[in-house]
Amino acid sequence: RTGSVSIDGSAALILTQDGLSALADDEYTVTISFDKSEPVVGKLTVARSEISCTAAYRAASLTLTDNIALNYKATVEVPENVVMPYTVGSLFWTTKPENYTVEDEPQLKIEKDGVNSDLYRYEDNTGYHVFTYDDIAAKQMNDTIYSVVYVLIDGRYFYSDPLEYSVAKCAMAVLNSPGYSAEFKTLAVDMLNYGAAAQSYFGYRTDNLANGSLTSAQKALGTSKNVALTDGKTKYGTDSEDVKFSSVSLTLESAVWLNYKVSVAQRDGAVIDSVVLLYDDVFSDVTDWETRREANELKTAAMTPDGTIYSGSIQDVVAKELRKPYYAQVRVGYRNTEDDTVAYEYSSVLKYAISDFACAARQQGSSGLKPLSEALMRYGDAAAAYFNSLH
């Protein structure tokens, strides 16, 4: 589903893709303990001997990074006298499997020193094996994720009891506990409201909204005031006649991206050698920008062609900084077909923030985009308030 709002006579602001995600910061996690999670005790017959193993999920934490991630924390015990190499891992399904085994086609497998090992870590202070299930779209906050932790020895698996969990369950655990700050509880409510708005916009499981379990008292903890929005979009410098921004779009899927489209003209006697998006979150003036550009101090992203239109994205926007502007410029290299020299042309420098999207949606009264973008901004403002409270 796609919606759009115009930002000027030549450009459109577009909501693309089929999902959403929330962003914040990877420095902080909130751990929820599973009080009744008892280890499963079982035996594996390995090299003609029986080995007793125990495994259980003990806790989960919600990490707010460049997407929403659930960290599954487990204890695993294998006797110290076992010298045969073994590993631990976890399996994840988005629909309930029949048997919770590796043969049941899990959507994600994470294994220490194996497949997706970058999603595994060990906590020395707790003894937990931590498996991170990431890239959860906002519309999927209330989706149940099915999982088991396992021990693998000599090709034989031992599995824990399964766990059925979700982002919404984790957020509700925070809200039902007295041990969390008011700022974090506001963040939790605004996150669930954002997820519900995403479900409504995309028509995804609207009979089971992420905020559907909130009590009246919990709903009151969320941000109720009108979101303050102003249009901060600005252009600096001038566009080349051959290189001009045509649109800026916002992708809200498993991460929040700013997508830029630029029209690039063809030139007689030359071919387009390169098209690159240059960007940063720092800008003082055009002269300083050009100096930093020549010193290769700006961030870059590749742009892909579709006819005369090229597209590129800024992919590192975080929720607590949805009001922070990014500055972007497009550089096009034209290679002369006769002498093989390259001449560069540049667009203007465009200042743009996620909040500008929400402002445009409000001004144009889009019935679908307005509540979604404002829910996103409430979530972003709550994330900023929470992280500020930690300092």
Side-chain angles (χ1 to χ4, degrees):
R1 179 173 177 178
T2 299
S4 65
V5 293
S6 175
I7 52 175
D8 58 43
S10 62
L13 184 62
I14 306 165
L15 177 63
T16 60
Q17 306 297 333
D18 62 353
L20 294 170
S21 182
L23 312 176
D25 195 302
D26 62 358
E27 187 179 355
Y28 307 98
T29 62
V30 175
T31 297
I32 307 299
S33 296
F34 303 145
D35 294 333
K36 297 181 180 179
S37 181
E38 295 298 329
V40 176
V41 181
K43 296 181 183 295
L44 291 172
T45 301
V46 178
R48 299 181 180 179
S49 356
E50 284 193 339
I51 299 174
S52 295
C53 302
T54 63
Y57 283 117
R58 295 295 195 177
S61 68
L62 180 64
T63 300
L64 305 176
T65 60
D66 58 349
N67 50 53
I68 294 177
L70 279 171
N71 306 298
Y72 291 74
K73 303 188 175 188
T75 53
V76 174
E77 294 183 11
V78 177
E80 293 182 358
N81 61 357
V82 174
V83 295
M84 184 174 292
Y86 69 92
T87 189
V88 297
S90 60
L91 307 174
F92 298 89
W93 295 262
T94 54
T95 56
K96 191 171 185 177
E98 185 173 351
N99 294 307
Y100 288 93
T101 69
V102 72
E103 289 82 15
D104 284 83
E105 299 182 354
Q107 275 74 44
L108 177 65
K109 179 181 180 180
I110 302 172
E111 194 168 272
K112 178 185 177 183
D113 301 323
V115 62
N116 294 314
S117 59
D118 58 316
L119 299 177
Y120 167 87
R121 71 178 188 275
Y122 182 77
E123 288 185 349
D124 290 318
N125 59 326
T126 64
Y128 288 149
H129 298 268
V130 185
F131 308 93
T132 298
Y133 187 99
D134 61 1
D135 289 331
I136 301 172
K139 68 175 185 178
Q140 298 170 325
M141 287 185 196
N142 211 23
D143 285 8
T144 299
I145 301 168
Y146 304 86
S147 180
V148 289
V149 62
Y150 63 82
V151 180
L152 173 61
I153 305 178
D154 192 30
R156 293 164 174 80
Y157 287 86
F158 166 72
Y159 300 97
S160 73
D161 276 341
L163 175 66
E164 299 180 7
Y165 209 57
S166 68
V167 171
K169 280 187 177 181
C170 193
M172 291 303 299
V174 169
L175 292 168
N176 290 323
S177 171
Y180 297 99
S181 68
E183 290 86 359
F184 191 80
K185 291 192 173 185
T186 295
L187 174 57
V189 173
D190 286 350
M191 181 180 70
L192 294 177
N193 288 339
Y194 168 48
Q199 289 176 261
S200 297
Y201 181 81
F202 292 107
Y204 180 80
R205 299 189 64 200
T206 54
D207 60 337
N208 190 28
L209 295 177
N211 59 2
S213 297
L214 294 174
T215 65
S216 297
Q218 288 168 342
K219 290 178 182 178
L221 298 174
T223 303
S224 58
K225 65 182 181 180
N226 193 40
V227 180
L229 295 170
T230 57
D231 183 7
K233 175 179 60 67
T234 308
K235 283 187 177 182
Y236 300 93
T238 57
D239 284 310
S240 161
E241 286 299 317
D242 294 331
V243 185
K244 297 180 180 180
F245 280 110
S246 60
S247 70
V248 181
S249 67
L250 186 65
T251 294
L252 301 171
E253 193 178 15
S254 62
V256 177
W257 294 4
L258 277 171
N259 307 309
Y260 296 84
K261 290 189 176 182
V262 62
S263 60
V264 179
Q266 299 292 332
R267 282 184 173 180
D268 292 337
V271 295
I272 297 173
D273 182 72
S274 61
V275 182
V276 178
L277 180 69
L278 309 169
Y279 69 95
D280 204 350
D281 56 4
V282 175
F283 181 87
S284 56
D285 55 49
V286 172
T287 300
D288 177 69
W289 178 272
E290 292 175 348
T291 299
R292 294 169 59 214
R293 184 183 70 199
E294 296 307 309
N296 295 318
E297 294 177 354
L298 302 176
K299 299 174 184 177
T300 63
M303 303 196 79
T304 57
D306 182 7
T308 60
I309 301 297
Y310 284 73
S311 303
S313 302
I314 297 175
Q315 302 180 11
D316 51 3
V317 185
V318 296
K320 67 175 184 177
E321 297 176 346
L322 296 185
R323 295 183 180 275
K324 182 176 74 173
Y326 283 83
Y327 302 84
Q329 183 179 47
V330 176
R331 179 183 65 205
V332 178
Y334 288 96
R335 183 174 295 278
N336 189 297
T337 55
E338 292 185 1
D339 59 16
D340 206 36
T341 58
V342 177
Y344 292 102
E345 293 288 340
Y346 296 89
S347 71
S348 58
V349 179
L350 178 62
K351 173 188 175 184
Y352 198 78
I354 304 297
S355 55
D356 296 328
F357 170 87
C359 181
R362 173 185 289 177
Q363 290 174 346
Q364 298 184 30
S366 170
S367 60
L369 294 177
K370 183 175 180 291
L372 175 59
S373 59
E374 294 194 359
L376 171 64
M377 289 307 304
R378 287 190 179 94
Y379 176 77
D381 289 347
Y386 170 65
F387 288 114
N388 286 337
S389 74
L390 298 179
H391 299 291

